[in-house]
Amino acid sequence: MYSINRRKFLGLFGCSCCSVLLPSCSTVPITERKQLSIIPEAKINQQAAAAYEQFRNKSKLITKGSQIKEIRDIGKKMEKAVSAFFLKEGKEDPTQNFGWDYILVDNDKVINAWCMPGGKIAVYTGLLKITKNINALSIVMGHEIAHAVARHSAERASQAMTINLGTSIADIFLGGAINRTRNTVGQNTGMDIFKLGIMNPFGRKQETEADYLGLIFSSLSGYDIRESVKLWERMADNKKGKEPPVFLSTHPSSKKRIENLNNWISEVIIKYPPIKV
């Protein structure tokens, strides 16, 4: 069995599917990475907005107090800074059609935050015990906003569609060999070779990109991005003994994240200083 470089595979296969299925390969703002974009962003945003409303209605939310105020203040500051940056650069604002919203979920057991496509952001109270200050919280929120700005959800959905289509077509020519191998490995190990070999690494690529873009958005908004390293050191301490091996994870390890951040901080501070809005 021959092997192919994963990045080359995603690039060649992705962009060939762009021509076969529908439009199109798009470009991630700032990083300029080419990405597969078969599913319209507007459709993803519409579905996300509906899911977000369901989540809001079913969740226990904190709607008053200093914590939610901090989250909204950081979010508003970042909204304006991101839009001002793209305007200054003479580029289309990827957030122009976002319907921004921020909620604080009352759950101390969950150390997480997320941003749905279209700018719907949730922060869990458990995360605030790790962030501890507005600079660290801005790093997390910048990261989550970066996923939406970079259209990662649409990209993941498009990529999954092409892999499923490509596998089905290839299996016709290979007499079902791909699915037989996939099923055999799955039965023997409990692992999906496509998820391990393609989807998880692809997820790590997106997470790393969101770390970088999030650092930029935080810097543009006037926060101290040096706090990012301290944040991930606290995250690492909290996860001691709990992190899965990297090949099983859709996220980079805390150690790798800290290494990346240390490499980026000086460059980001110089290239992306606070922007006046």
Side-chain angles (χ1 to χ4, degrees):
M1 183 183 293
Y2 71 91
S3 61
I4 183 170
N5 175 278
R6 184 182 299 116
R7 184 175 298 175
K8 192 176 291 184
F9 170 83
L10 290 174
L12 292 174
F13 189 78
C15 286
S16 67
C17 284
C18 282
S19 60
V20 171
L21 291 172
L22 275 175
S24 66
C25 282
S26 58
T27 303
V28 177
I30 299 178
T31 68
E32 299 187 347
R33 177 177 64 84
K34 297 295 183 184
Q35 64 181 170
L36 184 63
S37 184
I38 295 171
I39 301 174
E41 185 180 7
K43 182 176 180 63
I44 291 282
N45 289 358
Q46 183 180 19
Q47 292 172 341
Y52 178 75
E53 285 307 313
Q54 288 182 352
F55 179 85
R56 278 184 63 117
N57 294 334
K58 293 179 180 178
S59 301
K60 183 181 178 183
L61 305 181
I62 294 174
T63 58
K64 297 178 181 178
S66 60
Q67 291 178 322
I68 183 62
K69 183 179 184 304
E70 280 186 354
I71 290 165
R72 288 171 179 157
D73 287 349
I74 292 169
K76 291 294 180 186
K77 208 170 180 181
M78 213 163 276
E79 286 177 40
K80 293 176 182 177
V82 170
S83 292
F85 170 78
F86 285 104
L87 179 63
K88 180 183 175 184
E89 294 290 307
K91 296 179 180 178
E92 182 180 0
D93 177 6
T95 69
Q96 62 185 339
N97 295 319
F98 279 18
W100 295 100
D101 195 49
Y102 306 89
I103 55 175
L104 176 60
V105 185
D106 189 1
N107 190 334
D108 286 344
K109 294 182 179 178
V110 177
I111 302 172
N112 197 18
W114 45 259
C115 179
M116 282 192 176
K120 312 295 187 184
I121 299 168
V123 176
Y124 292 76
T125 53
L127 177 70
L128 302 181
K129 297 179 183 299
I130 305 294
T131 54
K132 296 185 182 297
N133 59 69
I134 60 170
N135 292 307
L137 183 54
S138 80
I139 298 297
V140 177
M141 290 180 63
H143 171 96
E144 298 305 331
I145 288 170
H147 279 306
V149 169
R151 302 179 294 271
H152 283 164
S153 292
E155 182 182 16
R156 288 293 290 273
S158 299
Q159 188 247 8
M161 183 187 294
T162 60
I163 287 174
N164 288 334
L165 175 63
T167 301
S168 299
I169 293 172
D171 234 16
I172 293 172
F173 293 100
L174 296 174
I178 294 176
N179 269 328
R180 284 198 301 274
T181 301
R182 186 177 184 181
N183 291 337
T184 300
V185 173
Q187 289 167 7
N188 291 336
T189 67
M191 300 176 183
D192 185 331
I193 57 173
F194 284 161
K195 183 176 180 182
L196 295 179
I198 298 171
M199 296 301 284
N200 279 1
F202 191 75
R204 290 195 292 274
K205 180 193 290 185
Q206 286 190 336
E207 288 298 322
T208 300
E209 186 169 60
D211 281 347
Y212 179 66
L213 290 174
L215 207 63
I216 291 172
F217 297 160
S218 180
S219 181
L220 289 172
S221 305
Y223 294 101
D224 184 356
I225 63 173
R226 294 171 298 181
E227 185 66 26
S228 61
V229 172
K230 297 174 186 176
L231 166 68
W232 276 103
E233 286 172 347
R234 293 195 291 273
M235 286 282 198
D237 286 341
N238 184 71
K239 291 180 180 179
K240 267 186 180 171
K242 300 175 188 174
E243 282 193 297
V246 171
F247 75 95
L248 289 176
S249 177
T250 56
H251 292 62
S253 68
S254 297
K255 181 180 178 181
K256 182 61 178 175
R257 279 186 138 139
I258 290 168
E259 180 185 320
N260 286 340
L261 291 165
N262 275 319
N263 288 334
W264 295 332
I265 285 172
S266 295
E267 172 208 337
V268 170
I269 288 174
I270 293 169
K271 287 182 67 176
Y272 303 95
I275 192 165
K276 293 182 179 180
V277 293

